[in-house]
Structure formats: structure tokens, C-alpha cells
Amino acid sequence: QVQLQESGPGLVKSSQTLSLTCTVSGESITTNSYYWSWIRQPPGKGLEWMGAITYSGSTYYRPSLTSRTSIPRGTSRNQFTLQLSSVTPEDTAMYYCAREVYETTWSYDWGQGTLVTVSS
């Protein structure tokens, strides 16, 4: 049973880089067919898929975020990270990491989420 846990600072200043880590247990992030994703939800709004790193290390990003988003593997085993540069208060949201699997449709296993507030 896969489990995911987000961690990182809850407050970031405008223009700085938001950095979060997702720690995965119960499954290797290099297991074939899995995508490891970051999804966020601003207050009062819907979910927004940000991007993913695959089991092989390929990355994919939402077009509107490509220029300032990076999702590399973490420095510790079985981790991947989110780096979002040049943040503004509009980036304030609950941030979730998730495992994506395609089985006729996309399905997700989620972390609990962590709130990140960007101050002006």
C-alpha cells in the first residue's frame, strides 16, 4: 500500500522559490508505469495538476507553469520534490503529491496535502 507525505515550509515570500518534498513509502518511485505528480488547490478553487516525474525520470509540466516549475527526484531515497520559482500570492494553495496510474483512466493515490502561503 503506497503512502505519500508532503513536507516543506508553510510560508514563502513573494519572488522566492517554493520547495516541497514528497516522501513515498510502500512503493519504489522507479517502479514501471507510475507517474509521481504535484497537484494544488487554491482556497475556494478546484484542483490544478502541476506536473509529474515518471518512473524513468522524464518530466511533464502544465504549460502555464513550465517556465518556473521543476520536479526532480529528492536527495534522499524514494523522494521527489517540487520547485516553483518566482512565486506570488496567487500560488497560495494546498499542495498535494500523488501517484498516478493509467488503467483505462487516470487514478490517484494522494498525500494529506500541505498548505503553503505566499506573502506579499
Side-chain angles (χ1 to χ4, degrees):
Q1 188 69 39
V2 65
Q3 293 182 319
L4 302 93
Q5 178 65 60
E6 304 88 348
S7 62
L11 182 64
V12 183
K13 293 182 178 180
S14 292
S15 81
Q16 294 185 333
T17 296
L18 184 160
S19 297
L20 298 173
T21 296
C22 184
T23 300
V24 178
S25 61
E27 183 63 84
S28 171
I29 63 173
T30 61
T31 298
N32 189 282
S33 81
Y34 294 146
Y35 285 56
W36 304 92
S37 305
W38 287 98
I39 302 160
R40 67 180 181 180
Q41 185 172 35
K45 299 184 179 180
L47 297 169
E48 180 184 46
W49 182 87
M50 301 182 69
I53 184 168
T54 75
Y55 61 94
S56 63
S58 299
T59 52
Y60 302 90
Y61 304 115
R62 186 180 185 88
S64 62
L65 298 174
T66 295
S67 64
R68 60 190 186 101
T69 304
S70 180
I71 305 180
R73 291 195 173 96
T75 57
S76 299
R77 294 180 63 184
N78 231 35
Q79 293 182 330
F80 63 101
T81 67
L82 171 69
Q83 298 175 354
L84 182 66
S85 65
S86 303
V87 298
T88 72
E90 293 185 352
D91 293 310
T92 294
M94 285 290 296
Y95 285 78
Y96 302 90
C97 57
R99 183 185 69 176
E100 295 182 313
V101 184
Y102 189 79
E103 300 173 351
T104 71
T105 62
W106 288 101
S107 62
Y108 301 84
D109 286 280
W110 301 78
Q112 292 181 318
T114 186
L115 177 64
V116 179
T117 299
V118 179
S119 62
S120 59

